[in-house]
Amino acid sequence: MPKRNATTRRSPARPIAVLLGTAAVVSLAALAWHALRPAALKRDPALSILLVSVDTLRADALGSYGRAEAATPWADRLAAEGVRFETAHAHNVVTLPSHANLLSGQYPLRHGVRDNTGFRFPPDPPTLASILREKGWRTGAFVSAFPLDSRFGLDRGFEVYDDRLGGAETSAAFLVPERRGEETVGAALRWIESVRGRRVFAFVHLYEPHFPYEPPEPFAARFAGAPYQGEVAATDAALGPLLAPILEAGAAARTLVVFTSDHGESLGEHGEATHGVFAYEATLRVPLVLWAPGLFAPRVVGTPVRHVDVLPTLLDAAGLEVPAGLPGRSLLPLIAGRDAPAPESYLEALSSSLNRGWAPLYGAIHEGLKYVDLPRPELYDLREDPGETTNLAAARPRDLERMRALLARLRADDVGVGARVQEEEATLARLRALGYVAGGGVAPKERYTEDDDPKTLIEIDTRVRDVVTLFRAGDYDGAIALCQETIRRRPDMPLSYLQLAYLERRRGRLAAAVLATRKAVDLRPLDAESISLHAVYLTEAGRPAEALAFLEPYARNVAPDLDVLTALGMAQARTGRREEALATFARARELDPSNAMVLVNAGTVHLMAGDRVHARQAFEAALDLDEGVARAHNSLGVIAAGEGRLPEAIARWQKAAALDPGDYQTLFNLGATLRRMGREAEARPYLEGYLRAAPVALEARDIARVRAWLARGAGS
Ligand SMILES: [Zn+2]
């Protein structure tokens, strides 16, 4: 809008109309006044709220944010009929901390969740869910990826927190367990239907745009040269059934829809392939749209806003009091067209500091300037240089100083990266007493140099992605070689050791896998993933007693990590301590009653002891929680086969193979049993799949048998 109009708004039109004194002019002037006047702030105590967060979604990947070739009709319709914030910033560039900010209205400086692993949202701060539930809203969350698993603490305040990801066994170092957007939306719709007529707060999280980019058809073909955009289009399509009825109802829906993402995706900008290392606008800027036709008229807001503003805005719109002491503010005045100066925004990217020992990245944005505090500091003028191509740190020393002071003020009461759960401190003390470790993670350095600056190291990040790509293409040797090269260059990165361990295990070289996880534990002794993998690989390598000794200090925690307990139960079972193993899984179940894998593991212990009755009960209970757990289907197939019910066994295994096509044990069961039943032609594809998936070192004997079967079949 031209500046002239803004001035007009401040000098009311009414006196001019009175001066002119004609009725026609009065009404015209009144009309102009009305059009320019900010709208009244509207609130609705009966408001339902739908918070949609699309993981890894760049703002500019949407049609409404300027991408002409985008296929995002649902998000664009929300934006056209709602209030679109042109510049909205997240404060973190990874999933768990960013959602913690959104749901709590707090900076990570306060709630302390700084990365996807190693942190748990604290039990006390109020969240959107806890506040709204207390005020009588029905609350439900439906998430699509492991970083938002209930174990990380964001489930508090939700009556229903659906984090059933089912599916295949994966390693977080390679592929985060996730579920498809349509399934998450389906679960959300069923719940919304079940609470029809009530005030609802629903949080729906979709994960499609996250790497790897493998969009389904028709989007794969349509976006053949831009698969990320294909995933974005697929996500939008998945949201259709959720958004269509609300959009159709319009104001009558009495629903406020918030559409945003937790962070964007770099797509190669500044040398970063995906996200998590840097905090440039490619990943820090997010879409933010608020749709509530009963409360606000369509508008585009240019004033920069922040994720921490979302909670105050939603509570304000629902006529609720906003808790004191939050860094954010209600956006209702901006939504109504009132002017408000943009406050400062805090930002950080600490994952590669915590996981890799690189320099931590902190920063702030204020009045168009963005400051990034690193060994090589960065200062950008976002208005002149939105692509952040010209670092002004050297050219504008006074601005640099001012922004440094602002960041210092923001971080004055930073709870720090050590603010993890209390009992971990106790674990740390026990570990120290055992003479085991010195620090609580990759030990922070006294001083980081330019060698530790992520700008220097970003090429290593690309290699970490290349390892994943090689692994997914089946080139294990290439992936292992690349891992080892990265370790030579930067020997203090736990992530590389976890990748190497997983690859070595897939190769069947368990001793090498154990050595690699041990290195990861040495570097980050409180990391639950490293701890549990080390113990699991020890057990798999036939050294469960060593696993038990290793886990002892961790397992004594009041609330140990679920994966650590699982590893403990497996080691106990392997040493023949069946009752102890079952007690451990019962403890895990108490910790996370919605977790289906705990029941699968308990069932496996029963099955190993030959107790088919209790085993079946446990597997069936697991499927009641999450019907997508492949291992439960596989085990029920084993029980059915053991009891001579072969058709049922085949059906179970086919279900398991559909859910987890890479599980060689299921493929073997299916192929071998079909063959024994004389159904050679049906058996063949499963046996061939088994040969592709089975680790040679672990399965040498069965691989030889299957090869012989297939050769005989081909000759006959
Ligand atoms: Zn994310």
Side-chain angles (χ1 to χ4, degrees):
M1 197 178 277
K3 278 199 170 96
R4 181 179 290 270
N5 280 354
T7 316
T8 315
R9 186 167 63 198
R10 287 204 188 85
S11 51
R14 198 184 304 273
I16 301 167
V18 170
L19 262 174
L20 293 175
T22 76
V25 174
V26 169
S27 65
L28 262 179
L31 201 68
W33 167 235
H34 179 77
L36 293 169
R37 203 179 94 196
L41 306 189
K42 284 196 196 162
R43 297 175 173 89
D44 181 0
L47 194 65
S48 281
I49 296 169
L50 170 62
L51 170 60
V52 175
S53 135
V54 175
D55 214 285
T56 321
L57 177 61
R58 283 173 71 115
D60 63 6
L62 298 169
S64 43
Y65 280 83
R67 180 161 300 265
E69 70 274 22
T72 51
W74 294 106
D76 296 344
R77 187 168 159 197
L78 279 177
E81 298 177 9
V83 176
R84 182 172 73 82
F85 294 89
E86 181 63 27
T87 306
H89 282 116
H91 313 289
N92 289 79
V93 289
V94 290
T95 307
L96 178 65
S98 198
H99 283 95
N101 305 337
L102 258 178
L103 290 170
S104 71
Q106 295 276 14
Y107 283 138
L109 299 161
R110 177 64 65 84
H111 61 64
V113 179
R114 313 310 270 271
D115 192 15
N116 283 341
T117 56
F119 297 90
R120 204 179 296 169
F121 190 77
D124 36 313
T127 66
L128 267 173
S130 72
I131 295 168
L132 289 170
R133 186 177 187 184
E134 199 199 325
K135 297 289 180 186
W137 269 257
R138 305 299 303 263
T139 55
F142 304 85
V143 303
S144 297
F146 180 69
L148 296 186
D149 189 281
S150 62
R151 75 181 70 183
F152 301 117
L154 288 183
D155 59 326
R156 191 161 45 82
F158 287 106
E159 297 164 56
V160 172
Y161 193 90
D162 182 344
D163 54 2
R164 293 172 297 172
L165 306 176
E169 183 207 345
T170 53
S171 160
F174 281 93
L175 191 59
V176 172
E178 63 173 293
R179 81 171 145 184
R180 289 168 57 237
E182 289 110 89
E183 291 173 28
T184 306
V185 163
L189 280 172
R190 284 191 292 280
W191 178 76
I192 289 170
E193 182 58 36
S194 76
V195 292
R196 180 177 282 280
R198 304 289 303 273
R199 285 177 308 180
V200 164
F201 169 51
F203 163 44
V204 178
H205 163 255
L206 272 67
Y207 200 67
E208 264 72 12
H210 199 280
F211 178 84
Y213 318 127
E214 291 163 350
E217 295 298 352
F219 306 106
R222 183 165 168 193
F223 293 94
Y228 170 77
Q229 283 296 139
E231 291 276 36
V232 171
T235 316
D236 189 86
L239 284 169
L242 180 66
L243 295 177
I246 299 170
L247 283 161
E248 282 317 308
R254 295 187 83 169
T255 298
L256 194 166
V257 181
V258 184
F259 181 93
T260 189
S261 70
D262 54 349
H263 52 79
E265 185 81 325
S266 281
L267 300 174
E269 285 185 34
H270 300 274
E272 183 178 38
T274 58
H275 62 268
V277 175
F278 293 139
Y280 294 113
E281 294 293 277
T283 56
L284 199 69
R285 183 182 166 223
V286 291
L288 180 64
V289 169
L290 268 60
W291 177 99
L295 297 187
F296 13 98
R299 187 183 291 272
V300 177
V301 175
T303 306
V305 298
R306 309 159 296 177
H307 262 170
V308 289
D309 298 323
V310 170
L311 177 140
T313 306
L314 299 185
L315 295 182
D316 192 13
L320 297 173
E321 200 180 316
V322 179
L326 293 176
R329 58 175 185 174
S330 169
L331 300 175
L332 287 194
L334 278 175
I335 287 170
R338 296 181 190 178
D339 275 336
E344 75 271 350
S345 188
Y346 170 75
L347 62 98
E348 68 177 33
L350 301 183
S351 301
S352 49
S353 170
L354 292 161
N355 292 313
R356 309 176 186 186
W358 301 3
L361 186 159
Y362 298 98
I365 299 171
H366 193 216
E367 291 174 342
L369 283 183
K370 180 168 173 183
Y371 168 60
V372 175
D373 181 34
L374 279 173
R376 276 190 279 150
E378 295 167 67
L379 184 71
Y380 300 101
D381 183 337
L382 293 179
R383 290 171 191 152
E384 297 293 318
D385 177 24
E388 297 158 290
T389 55
T390 308
N391 183 358
L392 303 169
R396 288 165 65 171
R398 275 170 57 193
D399 283 330
L400 187 71
E401 266 330 294
R402 189 164 57 79
M403 293 300 284
R404 263 197 183 131
L406 167 64
L407 179 60
R409 181 164 63 70
L410 283 164
R411 290 195 60 209
D413 55 357
D414 186 343
V415 295
V417 294
R420 305 177 191 195
V421 272
Q422 283 265 298
E423 68 263 25
E424 290 202 335
E425 292 304 317
T427 306
L428 196 57
R430 279 201 289 276
L431 290 169
R432 283 200 193 99
L434 292 168
Y436 175 45
V437 281
V442 172
K445 294 187 183 178
E446 293 271 305
R447 194 171 156 273
Y448 292 93
T449 68
E450 293 198 5
D451 289 345
D452 306 309
D453 193 308
K455 293 190 287 298
T456 312
L457 297 166
I458 190 62
E459 170 249 348
I460 288 183
D461 184 66
T462 306
R463 284 199 213 176
V464 168
R465 304 292 153 187
D466 290 347
V467 170
V468 179
T469 305
L470 286 170
F471 164 74
R472 289 175 62 80
D475 182 0
Y476 295 173
D477 290 335
I480 287 174
L482 193 56
C483 254
Q484 284 165 337
E485 198 187 313
T486 308
I487 288 170
R488 272 195 295 280
R489 163 109 192 260
R490 193 85 192 176
D492 56 355
M493 285 179 34
L495 179 62
S496 292
Y497 292 104
L498 289 182
Q499 287 191 324
L500 182 63
Y502 188 72
L503 290 161
E504 293 285 18
R505 186 230 183 199
R506 285 298 292 256
R507 270 272 176 262
R509 296 193 287 251
L510 280 165
V514 165
L515 282 177
T517 46
R518 180 75 220 195
K519 286 293 290 184
V521 172
D522 287 344
L523 286 164
R524 207 181 171 190
L526 289 180
D527 177 50
E529 190 187 9
S530 307
I531 295 161
S532 52
L533 273 182
H534 183 57
V536 167
Y537 292 172
L538 275 171
T539 301
E540 286 188 356
R543 295 151 65 183
E546 281 176 67
L548 286 180
F550 166 74
L551 286 172
E552 202 272 340
Y554 299 103
R556 281 200 302 177
N557 271 344
V558 182
D561 180 86
L562 194 69
D563 289 336
V564 171
L565 278 185
T566 301
L568 178 67
M570 286 163 74
Q572 286 165 331
R574 267 296 276 279
T575 49
R577 305 182 193 182
R578 181 179 161 219
E579 292 310 316
E580 281 175 48
L582 289 173
T584 299
F585 288 125
R587 198 174 156 203
R589 185 150 166 63
E590 239 168 72
L591 205 67
D592 188 354
S594 70
N595 192 296
M597 287 314 288
V598 172
L599 286 164
V600 171
N601 287 320
T604 305
V605 174
H606 288 301
L607 196 57
M608 283 163 69
D611 181 351
R612 283 187 195 147
V613 175
H614 283 105
R616 184 191 289 118
Q617 276 173 7
F619 295 130
E620 282 171 354
L623 292 177
D624 283 344
L625 282 175
D626 185 350
E627 62 181 7
V629 178
R631 263 186 59 201
H633 288 290
N634 180 32
S635 301
L636 284 169
V638 171
I639 292 174
E643 293 172 351
R645 288 175 280 112
L646 290 188
E648 186 194 328
I650 298 290
R652 285 287 183 194
W653 290 329
Q654 279 171 336
K655 179 95 188 169
L659 288 164
D660 186 2
D663 178 21
Y664 62 86
Q665 286 168 345
T666 298
L667 294 170
F668 181 86
N669 289 342
L670 255 178
T673 307
L674 283 168
R675 184 180 163 275
R676 211 177 322 132
M677 293 164 77
R679 291 154 70 175
E680 300 261 351
E682 282 174 78
R684 175 167 288 272
Y686 296 116
L687 293 172
E688 286 169 350
Y690 166 79
L691 288 182
R692 280 193 299 274
V696 178
L698 293 180
E699 292 284 302
R701 227 180 56 197
D702 281 338
I703 286 174
R705 278 166 68 198
V706 169
R707 284 223 173 92
W709 292 345
L710 287 174
R712 225 175 299 151
S716 64

